[in-house]
Amino acid sequence: TPKTVLEFSLSNGLGFPIQVNTVTYTGTGLGDSGRNAYAGSPPVPSGIIGSGQRMNFTQNFSGAMQPQIRDFKTIYVSITYSNCKGGICRSNYTTSGRISTLIEKG
């Protein structure tokens, strides 16, 4: 099955640890036809990123609709996280952004 792989890093500059709870990717022509949202997951079981640390994410988009090499794609990423200040993770916050890139051969 053909697939496109997205890899990126998230740096925690908040000054306290956070726990990544959910990750959602939205894009067009990345496995399925049309614009779709894909559920991702944190790359470590606890999903905790310490202050000043980074976490690497990888998401596979499998399916019949795959971009071609040198296509320009934009993927919207939404991450829900909890504040772990004081060692207890509580409250949910959401941050989002977009990743725009040329498709490269892996």
Side-chain angles (χ1 to χ4, degrees):
T1 303
K3 69 179 176 181
T4 298
V5 179
L6 171 66
E7 296 177 336
F8 69 97
S9 294
L10 174 70
S11 295
N12 177 3
L14 294 174
F16 49 83
I18 62 171
Q19 180 175 32
V20 175
N21 300 316
T22 63
V23 184
T24 304
Y25 302 92
T26 303
T28 303
L30 293 168
D32 297 320
S33 63
R35 184 178 175 91
N36 293 285
Y38 303 90
S41 59
V44 295
S46 67
I48 294 179
I49 309 172
S51 177
Q53 295 181 335
R54 66 178 44 205
M55 181 179 279
N56 298 317
F57 290 76
T58 301
Q59 177 68 25
N60 294 314
F61 299 95
S62 298
M65 294 295 298
Q66 296 294 316
Q68 299 297 311
I69 302 298
R70 307 218 22 92
D71 280 355
F72 186 79
K73 286 291 183 180
T74 298
I75 299 169
Y76 297 90
V77 182
S78 178
I79 297 174
T80 302
Y81 66 93
S82 298
N83 174 338
C84 297
K85 194 172 187 175
I88 299 171
C89 300
R90 58 180 156 288
S91 301
N92 283 324
Y93 302 93
T94 300
T95 189
S96 60
R98 69 177 177 227
I99 299 171
S100 297
T101 186
L102 285 173
I103 301 297
E104 299 176 350
K105 185 172 178 122

